[in-house]
């Protein structure tokens, strides 16, 4: 929602994704989150004298995968450079990163927005670089502590073009990018733990203006929601400044999620001058086309392609296909459940999709759970849908069974059997129940025959009640109509 | 048993050890005594590892007794104090590392130890290898054994003085802009800088990463061949190390000079060469011709640009390499830092000496915004031209001959306040580093004050065999390398 | 290009070196002298020359993605001027 219709917002995002390699970028230390302080360091990552970096092969493969997934150009020649700056958690005094020759350039991705066609966002570049360590300040008297475990975690920095025009665009971009890196299994996408981090460059300009306005860089955005809120806050702030005759200052601002405001990072006494130059300890990185082709051939199906398949081959709506491919776990869950339904001889992906997106997601959201934590397994949900499809239980009973499965777990087939919930389809017993109900409700029978046919619903209800919901409603209808003649 | 182990070459010692005519322990003991006697004056060693050396010598004797010796088994050597040695103080001759005991070992020392060498101690050097006179060491100047009022050259001045004074059978140095060859020439010994990438840089404290290379400093070319054999070869821990087979340097040592073309680059003889050096090199040319070599005039037109190119690129890399010395994880930290900024600024200002600070400043400047293209990028391009000049020359000749230094050793203190004059003393050595080529300096005469003069033989990439065999042929025919200073 | 006191101070700040006011002048002189040497490079045309960053042309080697290092904490922290509870200890960093 444009805050002031006279202004256009321009947003570019820089995303740092931690790659899920086994070892670090330039040494053989484990690349694992949450270990005891400084237990995962060696002379190389801790920046000791005389030691040298040696590149991790898998990191490069992950960079290539990601580049291919966003339709980028994979560069046959790329170069590592040193970005020089002093900070206690940067032990060498420089970050090994890629500068003028990154491994990927000119990519793109397409974002999904409600009620709008897909929108293309350009990806300027992807480069590989090393993560820094952590300084700890809180609770330490008169000192700070440095933990270098994270130093050397391989990062991909993914830089977008300034193609986004609203916080909604930015949110959708992050969702899509996160889905892609998770489908590729190169990053776990966890924003809270910092394995998927985003900085936002935001500016505003009058509609129609050619030049970009002065931008600010927003940091400390640890969820998609915070990215969006911080952008909205910043757009407001910048417009207010301009409207009141002030100027936007180019600066870095930190988002405070508790107060819902951003504040200027105290401008360091010196402007940054990173003095980039080619890393003399690492030769240029050259790639063979055949290597790139090999990786391309093994790329998994990505969200957009999968969503299209769900629509084309399974007849799902664009909306459902979008929801089911937004997260890797979601699509895996859906496909697994749907396979069970198909195995039961009833192809009905729409029914499966409906159960996943409406019943399951509804309940998960209510309980604040994610799909990975679902108490109902994909197999069991598939079995439940199959039971409906084969007519074993009614949709109404299925909801009860589902509630049971969600609370106590278990296999729906067993629950149905144990609780005697199986749908009654035997016409003899249904006829018997119908006759009992007709006998005990002579007035209603009279009304029906007198033309008040809507009374049929009441009679169906009575039969269902008598069978505790197990009678096949279609059969009950049919038999009732026959008997009422 | 050895009143004077200094008279033996490494090859001699190896023979005697193998035949069990001497023991490594006695030899080591003799060297340690000699070092302990001379070091207070010459100051060639920063750290003497008596206990470690004796233990290693005893180990070596066991292997030699069991006939499991290799050429280096039991040979006592010194190592420049910028190779990280596990458990042994490694200072790089800097206050900022005055308490640094690495928990890891450099590939070079690890290979030498693996080949049975006994490490006597860590030799003095210019701080962080920045210097041409060994006067920038935090642990004091090193004196030239030929004339103790003069510099031994740098930065491997301690390593050079040690070999010259018989304080070790040989030593290991490093050469970024001439730091093996220049002190070798000024102290009358043999110094080999291998092809960049031939010897691993892992665990060697970096000055300028794209130029640094370790090599042997010895009495003879033969000794250099024995040491290089153990040092050379691919190291998976160094991404810039060359993955190519290592030839048998000893087997190729007798290849001789018959029919080989030696280029004489005119620019090296143009001006600034002292008359003594010019005269001695002329004699050497005659000698080489007599040995069957053909001398061919060649031109390396970019020679004069090497100094500015080097003094942009090397400090630029150094300014970044030395950023890790911040007083946080190892080494010196200033007293009572007020805050993190004070910790950085004061630790570095107090921990680094003047020459190191000067180069950090210079390197920071040439990389900084607005100056990168004019200085750093320009120098990288000129570096390419310099390398191309050598390539062109080597399409016509097998080797190049040049003086190692324009003059003999100067007086201590003579150039300490004039960095530009100091830098100009590397004029004949740094081109080779910029091009990454192998080169050896060998003694080829003396000046009127009886100070040694050296000459360089420069080879094609990875042709260490070629320069070693040429140097060996020359040393078989001459006696310059056998002279020792009187101490 | 000339160096003045402000340049020296700016560069010293980038390099995290405390340079006392009294020494600034000598840095100005010495750096100017050395940079004077550099200016001769401008006489060389280098427009089409590929910059040279490495002494030899080799391709980037890569290591397998394997964990080979164990816990080095004790050995590395033992080198630190100040450490506390498995951390490197520094003066309070104010963000
Ligand atoms: Mg980055
Ligand atoms: Zn490590």
């Amino acid at each position: 929602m444009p805050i002031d219709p006279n202004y256009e917002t321009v947003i570019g995002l820089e995303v740092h994704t931690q790659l899920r390699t086994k070892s670090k970028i330039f040494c053989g230390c484990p690349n694992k989150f949450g270990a005891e302080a400084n237990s995962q360091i060696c002379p190389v990552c801790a920046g000791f004298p005389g030691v040298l970096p040696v590149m991790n092969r898998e990191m490069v493969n992950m960079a290539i995968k990601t580049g291919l997934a966003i339709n980028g150009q994979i560069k046959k020649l790329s170069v590592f450079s040193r970005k020089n700056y002093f900070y206690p958690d940067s032990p060498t005094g420089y970050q090994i990163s890629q500068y003028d020759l990154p491994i990927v350039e000119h990519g793109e991705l397409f974002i999904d927005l409600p009620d709008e066609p897909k929108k293309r966002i350009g990806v300027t570049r992807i480069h590989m670089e090393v993560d820094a360590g952590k300084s700890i300040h809180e609770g330490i008297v008169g000192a700070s502590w440095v933990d270098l475990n994270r130093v050397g975690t391989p990062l991909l920095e993914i830089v977008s073009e300034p193609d986004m025009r609203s916080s909604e665009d930015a949110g959708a971009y992050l969702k899509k990018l996160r889905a892609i890196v998770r489908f590729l299994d190169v990053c776990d996408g966890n924003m809270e733990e910092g394995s998927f981090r985003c900085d936002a460059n935001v500016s505003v300009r009058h509609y129609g203006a050619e030049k970009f306005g002065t931008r600010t860089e927003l940091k400390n955005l640890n969820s998609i929601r915070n990215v969006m809120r911080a952008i909205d806050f910043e757009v407001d702030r910048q417009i207010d400044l301009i409207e009141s005759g002030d100027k936007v200052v180019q600066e870095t601002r930190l988002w405070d999620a508790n107060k819902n405001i951003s504040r200027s990072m105290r401008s360091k006494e010196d402007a940054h001058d990173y003095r980039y130059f080619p890393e003399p300890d690492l030769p240029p990185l050259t790639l063979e086309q055949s290597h790139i082709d090999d990786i391309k051939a093994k790329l998994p199906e990505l969200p957009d392609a999968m969503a299209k398949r769900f629509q084309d081959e399974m007849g799902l709506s664009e909306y459902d296909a979008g929801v089911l491919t937004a997260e890797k776990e979601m699509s895996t869950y859906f496909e697994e459940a749907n396979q069970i339904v198909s195995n039961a001889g009833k192809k009905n992906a729409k029914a499966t999709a409906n159960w996943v997106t409406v019943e399951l997601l509804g309940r998960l959201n209510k309980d604040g759970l994610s799909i990975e934590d679902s108490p109902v397994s994909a197999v069991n949900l598939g079995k439940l849908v199959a039971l409906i499809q084969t007519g074993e239980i009614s949709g109404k009973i299925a909801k009860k069974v589902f509630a049971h499965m969600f609370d106590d777990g278990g296999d729906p087939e067993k629950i149905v059997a144990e609780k005697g919930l199986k749908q009654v389809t035997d016409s003899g017993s249904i006829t018997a129940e119908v006759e009992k109900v007709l006998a005990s409700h002579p007035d209603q029978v009279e009304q029906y025959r007198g033309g008040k046919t809507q009374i049929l619903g009441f009679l169906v209800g009575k039969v269902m009640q008598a069978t505790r919901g197990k009678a096949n409603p279609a059969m009950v209808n049919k038999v009732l109509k026959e008997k009422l003649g | 048993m050895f009143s004077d182990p200094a008279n033996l070459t490494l090859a001699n010692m190896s023979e005697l050890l193998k035949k069990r005519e001497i023991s490594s322990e006695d030899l080591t003991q003799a060297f340690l005594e000699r070092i302990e006697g001379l070091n207070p004056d010459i100051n060639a060693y920063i750290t003497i590892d008596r206990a470690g050396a004796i233990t290693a010598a005893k180990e070596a004797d066991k292997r030699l007794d069991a006939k499991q010796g290799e050429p280096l088994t039991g040979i006592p050597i010194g190592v420049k104090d910028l190779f990280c040695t596990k458990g042994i103080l490694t200072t790089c001759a800097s206050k900022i590392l005055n308490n640094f005991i690495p928990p890891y070992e450099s590939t070079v020392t690890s290979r030498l130890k693996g080949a049975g060498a006994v490490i006597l101690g860590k030799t003095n050097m210019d701080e962080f290898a920045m210097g041409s006179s060994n006067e920038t060491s935090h642990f004091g100047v090193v004196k030239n054994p030929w004339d103790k009022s003069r510099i031994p050259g740098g930065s491997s001045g301690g390593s050079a003085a040690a070999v010259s004074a018989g304080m070790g059978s040989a030593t290991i140095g490093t050469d970024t802009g001439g730091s093996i060859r220049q002190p070798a020439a000024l102290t009358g010994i043999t110094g080999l800088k291998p092809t960049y990438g031939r010897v691993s840089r892992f665990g060697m404290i970096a000055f300028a990463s794209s130029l640094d290379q370790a090599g042997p400093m010895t009495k003879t070319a033969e000794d250099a061949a024995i040491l290089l054999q153990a040092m050379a070869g691919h190291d998976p821990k160094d991404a810039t190390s060359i993955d190519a087979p290592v030839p048998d340097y000893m087997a190729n040592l007798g290849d001789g000079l018959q029919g080989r073309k030696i280029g004489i680059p005119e620019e090296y003889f143009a001006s600034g060469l002292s008359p003594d050096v010019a005269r001695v090199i002329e004699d050497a040319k005659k000698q080489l011709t007599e040995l069957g070599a053909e001398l061919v005039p060649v031109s390396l037109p970019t020679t004069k640009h090497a100094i500015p190119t080097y003094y942009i690129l090397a400090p630029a890399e150094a300014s970044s390499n030395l950023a890790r010395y911040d007083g946080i994880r190892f080494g010196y930290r200033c007293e009572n830092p007020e805050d993190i900024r004070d910790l950085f600024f004061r630790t570095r200002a107090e921990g680094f000496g003047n020459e190191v600070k000067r180069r950090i400043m210079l390197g920071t400047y040439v990389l900084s915004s607005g100056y990168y293209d004019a200085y750093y990028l320009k120098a990288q391009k000129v570096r390419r031209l310099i390398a191309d000049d050598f390539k062109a020359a080597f399409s016509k000749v097998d080797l190049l001959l040049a003086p190692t230094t324009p003059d003999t050793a100067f007086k201590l203190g003579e150039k300490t306040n004039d960095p530009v004059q100091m830098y100009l003393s590397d004029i004949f050595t740094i081109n080779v580093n910029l091009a990454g080529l192998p080169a050896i300096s060998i003694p080829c005469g003396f000046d009127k004050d009886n100070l040694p003069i050296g000459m360089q033989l420069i080879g094609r990439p990875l042709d260490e065999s070629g320069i070693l065999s040429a140097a060996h042929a020359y040393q078989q025919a001459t006696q310059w390398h056998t002279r020792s200073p009187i101490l | 290009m000339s160096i003045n006191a402000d340049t020296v101070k700016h560069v010293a700040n980038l390099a995290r070196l405390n340079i006392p006011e009294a020494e600034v002048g000598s840095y100005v002189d010495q750096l100017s002298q050395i940079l004077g040497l550099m200016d001769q490079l401008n006489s060389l045309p280098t427009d089409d020359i590929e910059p040279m960053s490495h002494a030899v042309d080799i391709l980037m080697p890569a290591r397998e993605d394997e964990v080979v290092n164990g816990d080095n904490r004790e050995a590395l922290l033992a080198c630190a001027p100040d450490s506390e509870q498995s951390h490197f200890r520094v003066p309070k960093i104010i963000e």
Side-chain angles (χ1 to χ4, degrees):
Chain A
M1 12 91 240
I3 296 141
D4 181 324
N6 295 318
Y7 287 91
E8 183 183 37
T9 302
V10 176
I11 302 160
L13 298 180
E14 285 171 24
V15 174
H16 286 88
T17 60
Q18 286 183 346
L19 295 177
R20 301 184 55 180
T21 52
K22 292 200 234 14
S23 62
K24 288 186 177 180
I25 179 167
F26 293 125
C27 65
C29 288
N31 173 26
K32 229 170 46 216
F33 181 78
E36 278 179 63
N38 292 309
S39 64
Q40 298 184 159
I41 64 172
C42 72
V44 175
C45 56
F48 272 58
V51 291
L52 298 168
V54 184
M55 186 188 69
N56 185 334
R57 186 187 302 279
E58 188 58 22
M59 164 190 62
V60 180
N61 290 342
M62 288 181 170
I64 297 171
K65 269 189 202 174
T66 311
L68 291 169
I70 57 147
N71 200 22
Q73 286 177 17
I74 312 299
K75 295 294 171 181
K76 301 271 175 53
L77 173 79
S78 69
V79 166
F80 285 101
S81 290
R82 289 189 187 173
K83 179 182 184 179
N84 293 286
Y85 66 95
F86 286 86
Y87 204 74
D89 60 21
S90 169
T92 45
Y94 52 83
Q95 179 193 34
I96 302 179
S97 179
Q98 294 190 303
Y99 181 52
D100 45 357
L101 296 169
I103 188 163
V104 178
E105 284 185 311
H106 310 301
E108 61 184 5
L109 56 76
F110 295 89
I111 59 173
D112 304 298
L113 297 161
D115 314 319
E116 269 183 60
K118 277 181 188 294
K119 181 169 170 184
R120 178 190 181 278
I121 307 293
V123 175
T124 317
R125 58 185 277 153
I126 299 179
H127 68 252
M128 299 176 277
E129 63 182 24
V130 39
D131 208 348
K134 279 179 181 164
S135 308
I136 302 150
H137 320 290
E138 264 155 59
I140 305 154
V141 181
S144 291
W145 285 354
V146 180
D147 174 8
L148 299 177
N149 277 347
R150 201 178 67 177
V151 179
T153 296
L155 294 179
L156 288 186
E157 181 171 332
I158 304 168
V159 183
S160 86
E161 293 287 329
D163 286 350
M164 285 159 269
R165 292 293 174 268
S166 66
S167 59
E168 288 82 0
D169 282 4
Y173 172 87
L174 288 172
K175 278 182 195 152
K176 179 52 65 74
L177 186 59
R178 190 169 63 173
I180 289 171
V181 295
R182 288 168 58 132
F183 271 67
L184 293 172
D185 201 23
V186 300
C187 172
D188 67 17
N190 189 327
M191 284 185 92
E192 285 74 22
E193 282 180 7
S195 48
F196 188 86
R197 311 196 282 268
C198 172
D199 299 336
N201 288 303
V202 180
S203 64
V204 299
R205 62 179 170 188
H206 279 102
Y207 268 103
E210 272 182 33
K211 265 182 65 184
F212 290 130
T214 305
R215 68 188 157 86
T216 55
E217 186 179 8
L218 308 177
K219 285 186 183 288
N220 197 32
L221 310 169
N222 62 0
S223 68
I224 291 179
R225 201 166 94 111
N226 277 330
V227 172
M228 296 173 68
R229 286 161 131 191
I231 290 171
D232 286 337
F233 176 88
E234 183 58 16
V235 169
D236 262 342
R237 195 187 68 88
Q238 291 187 11
I239 292 172
D240 283 351
L241 278 174
I242 296 167
E243 287 290 306
S244 61
D246 278 340
K247 273 193 180 138
V248 176
V249 181
Q250 185 166 345
E251 63 179 353
T252 301
R253 298 180 67 84
L254 279 188
W255 177 246
D256 184 334
N258 295 323
K259 295 186 187 145
N260 272 326
I261 53 162
S262 68
R263 60 186 161 81
S264 177
M265 262 175 89
R266 269 191 318 136
S267 69
K268 301 239 168 78
E269 53 272 47
D270 38 63
H272 284 298
D273 182 347
Y274 292 123
R275 291 160 281 134
Y276 282 98
F277 73 104
E279 165 58 280
D281 289 332
L282 294 169
L285 172 61
T286 51
L287 297 173
E288 300 282 340
Q289 186 59 46
S290 60
H291 181 66
I292 300 168
D293 292 343
D294 278 355
I295 291 178
K296 192 168 196 169
K298 288 180 204 140
L299 275 187
E301 189 181 28
L302 291 163
D304 285 352
M306 190 181 273
K308 188 164 184 309
R309 174 167 63 85
F310 287 180
Q311 292 170 63
D312 295 352
E313 292 174 19
M314 300 182 179
L316 300 193
S317 69
E318 190 180 352
Y319 178 81
D320 279 355
V323 171
L324 292 172
T325 54
E327 296 277 354
K328 185 175 185 195
E329 287 75 8
M330 185 76 75
S331 68
T332 308
Y333 188 102
F334 165 71
E335 292 224 87
E336 212 178 316
N338 196 42
Q339 190 58 49
I340 301 289
V341 180
S342 297
N343 290 350
K346 295 284 175 185
K347 282 212 162 56
N348 195 340
K350 274 184 171 173
T352 316
N354 223 31
W355 268 89
V356 173
T357 58
V358 179
E359 298 299 332
L360 179 67
L361 280 187
R363 183 65 201 275
L364 287 172
N365 283 344
K366 201 177 128 210
D367 291 20
L369 294 173
S370 63
I371 190 98
E372 300 99 286
D373 310 320
S374 171
V376 178
S377 72
V379 170
N380 282 339
L381 190 83
K383 282 184 181 174
L384 183 68
V385 177
L387 286 174
I388 308 164
Q389 295 303 310
T390 52
E392 300 274 305
I393 56 173
S394 67
K396 205 168 169 188
I397 290 286
K399 287 186 187 180
K400 280 190 199 162
V401 176
F402 174 78
H404 217 284
M405 288 159 72
F406 200 97
D407 293 333
D408 303 318
D411 180 336
E413 284 165 4
K414 276 192 197 142
I415 295 170
V416 167
E418 275 164 20
K419 305 207 177 269
L421 297 170
K422 198 165 168 184
Q423 186 157 261
V424 177
T425 50
D426 158 33
S427 63
S429 54
I430 289 177
T431 307
E433 289 297 335
V434 166
E435 280 169 353
K436 275 192 220 158
V437 167
L438 293 181
S440 52
H441 295 84
D443 293 353
Q444 283 80 357
V445 171
E446 206 50 40
Q447 286 172 19
Y448 181 89
R449 289 186 173 139
K452 204 177 170 192
T453 50
Q454 59 269 47
I455 207 83
L456 186 70
F458 169 82
L459 294 168
V460 170
K462 285 292 166 194
V463 177
M464 294 304 289
Q465 210 173 4
T467 60
R468 288 183 296 129
K470 289 185 294 179
N472 180 323
M475 286 180 72
V476 173
N477 255 296
K478 187 168 158 260
V479 174
L480 265 174
K481 278 185 185 160
E482 278 168 17
K483 295 285 168 191
L484 291 163
Chain B
M1 191 172 174
F2 309 98
S3 55
D4 208 356
N7 287 335
L8 301 172
T9 68
L10 187 155
N12 297 151
M13 293 177 215
S14 185
E15 239 352 83
L16 294 171
L17 284 168
K18 201 171 132 198
K19 290 192 202 141
R20 306 311 289 133
E21 287 179 23
I22 56 173
S23 74
S24 175
E25 190 179 350
D26 286 348
L27 187 62
T28 302
Q29 184 65 38
F31 272 121
L32 286 169
E33 276 167 24
R34 193 173 163 89
I35 292 168
E36 281 155 1
L38 291 172
N39 206 51
D41 188 21
I42 293 181
N43 202 24
Y45 281 83
I46 292 174
T47 301
I48 302 162
D49 183 19
R50 175 170 263 284
I54 295 292
T55 308
K58 285 181 176 166
E59 262 317 299
D61 281 327
K62 277 188 212 152
R63 281 166 68 185
L64 288 160
D65 286 342
K67 304 271 173 240
Q68 288 166 346
E70 295 170 51
L72 278 178
T73 308
I75 299 288
I77 60 168
V79 175
K80 189 175 183 177
D81 204 21
L82 57 54
F83 291 94
C84 290
T85 41
K86 192 171 179 176
I88 303 291
L89 184 68
T90 299
T91 68
C92 233
S94 182
K95 181 179 175 186
I96 213 156
L97 285 176
N98 64 3
N99 57 4
F100 178 55
I101 299 174
Y104 50 95
E105 187 82 28
S106 78
T107 297
V108 163
T109 48
S110 148
R111 285 187 178 176
L112 289 167
K113 286 180 180 174
V118 172
I119 312 284
L120 295 165
K122 309 292 291 291
T123 55
N124 206 340
M125 54 184 283
D126 277 302
E127 184 182 3
F128 280 100
M130 297 177 187
S132 309
S133 63
N134 216 121
E135 293 169 292
T136 70
S137 169
H138 174 64
F139 300 93
V141 301
V142 177
K143 291 179 188 164
N144 191 323
W146 292 89
D147 175 348
K148 288 187 249 169
S149 70
R150 292 178 187 271
I151 58 112
S155 65
S156 310
S159 294
V163 175
S164 171
M167 299 162 79
S169 71
T171 55
I172 308 302
T174 62
D175 192 317
T176 305
S179 285
I180 286 175
R181 291 160 290 151
Q182 185 254 21
L186 301 187
T187 57
I189 65 162
T190 298
L192 172 68
K193 180 203 104 69
T195 309
Y196 181 87
R198 177 79 288 186
V199 174
S200 169
R201 292 187 298 115
F202 182 85
M204 195 177 114
I205 298 179
F207 162 17
S209 313
S210 81
L211 299 161
D212 297 343
Q213 187 64 197
M217 303 180 76
T218 55
K219 284 188 163 21
T220 64
E222 182 184 18
D223 289 358
I226 295 172
L227 279 168
L228 182 63
Q229 199 74 52
M231 295 165 73
H234 180 244
D235 179 8
K237 291 185 198 163
D238 176 359
T240 61
S241 101
I242 296 174
D243 194 357
V246 178
D248 186 337
Y249 297 116
M250 285 300 282
N252 300 336
L253 201 62
D255 286 357
L257 275 163
Q258 197 60 49
R260 292 171 81 187
K261 289 185 182 169
I262 300 182
I264 310 294
E266 57 172 311
E267 291 79 5
Y268 283 72
F269 296 88
S271 63
L273 211 54
S274 85
D276 280 332
V277 173
R279 169 182 56 79
V280 159
I281 302 274
E282 278 312 308
D283 292 346
K285 282 193 208 165
K286 281 189 208 114
Q287 187 71 58
L288 293 166
T289 320
E290 280 167 28
L291 288 166
E294 182 194 340
L295 302 187
V296 181
V298 294
S299 174
L300 298 168
T302 53
T303 300
K304 64 171 182 291
H305 300 299
I307 294 236
T309 303
Y310 176 87
Y311 280 97
I312 292 170
L313 298 180
E317 291 181 18
S319 70
S320 174
N321 284 334
L322 270 57
R324 68 188 61 203
Y325 303 96
D326 56 11
I328 296 179
R329 283 148 293 117
F330 48 79
Y332 175 79
R333 173 185 284 200
C334 68
E335 297 257 343
N336 304 319
E338 276 171 35
D339 53 26
I340 195 75
R341 202 178 150 78
D342 189 39
L343 172 71
F344 283 146
F345 278 77
R346 214 145 48 77
T347 294
R348 291 167 60 77
E350 293 169 14
F352 291 133
N354 285 335
E355 182 58 26
V356 173
K357 281 190 263 194
R358 190 149 49 230
R359 297 205 195 183
I360 291 174
M361 291 288 286
L362 189 57
T364 304
Y365 178 76
V366 298
L367 286 174
S368 68
S369 162
Y371 302 102
Y372 182 90
D373 286 3
Y375 287 115
Y376 185 77
L377 192 64
K378 180 80 187 180
Q380 279 198 317
K381 290 177 168 195
V382 178
R383 182 178 187 181
R384 172 84 58 198
L385 295 177
I386 290 169
D388 287 349
D389 268 5
F390 278 106
K391 250 183 222 160
F394 280 119
S395 68
K396 295 183 213 129
V397 299
D398 303 309
L399 298 167
L400 293 168
L401 171 70
T404 308
T405 57
D407 207 342
T408 49
F410 52 85
K411 293 269 185 191
L412 287 163
E414 193 180 317
K415 298 185 182 177
T416 35
N417 293 320
D418 191 348
V420 169
Q421 277 312 306
M422 188 73 93
Y423 297 171
L424 289 173
S425 58
D426 296 335
I427 192 151
F428 297 145
T429 48
I430 57 184
N431 310 53
V432 165
N433 298 80
L434 291 167
L437 301 172
I440 195 166
S441 176
I442 51 174
C444 63
F446 288 80
D447 74 358
K448 58 183 184 320
D449 299 319
N450 198 35
L451 293 169
I453 295 170
M455 68 173 182
Q456 277 189 100
L457 291 163
I458 304 163
R460 295 193 181 99
L462 293 181
D463 191 23
E464 283 79 7
S465 279
I467 53 176
L468 282 167
S469 61
H472 183 65
Y474 179 81
Q475 290 184 337
Q476 295 297 101
T478 57
Q479 297 299 314
W480 307 116
H481 62 286
T482 62
R483 290 210 202 166
S484 304
I486 299 151
L487 291 161
Chain C
M1 273 160 257
S2 72
I3 293 237
N4 57 28
D6 285 344
T7 323
V8 164
K9 287 178 192 169
H10 169 68
V11 172
N13 187 40
L14 285 176
R16 299 293 185 271
L17 287 172
N18 225 1
I19 291 188
E21 197 63 44
E23 288 175 27
V24 170
S26 84
Y27 273 100
V28 171
D29 293 346
Q30 292 188 338
L31 292 184
S32 303
Q33 247 194 75
I34 298 165
L35 288 164
L37 272 186
M38 316 302 175
D39 289 337
Q40 74 167 70
L41 295 186
N42 294 332
S43 64
L44 270 181
T46 50
D47 284 356
D48 304 321
I49 308 299
E50 182 71 15
M52 180 171 165
S53 309
H54 297 86
V56 287
D57 287 330
I58 54 173
L59 302 182
M60 175 83 96
R63 35 171 276 273
E64 294 305 321
D65 182 22
E66 288 164 357
V67 174
V68 294
N69 296 338
D71 187 345
N72 287 310
R73 188 169 21 169
E74 304 259 317
L76 295 178
L77 284 165
C79 298
D82 195 3
S83 67
E84 191 171 30
Q85 293 182 38
S86 290
H87 291 82
F88 298 98
R89 191 172 187 272
V90 296
K92 195 102 189 156
I93 302 165
I94 301 138
E95 297 244 285

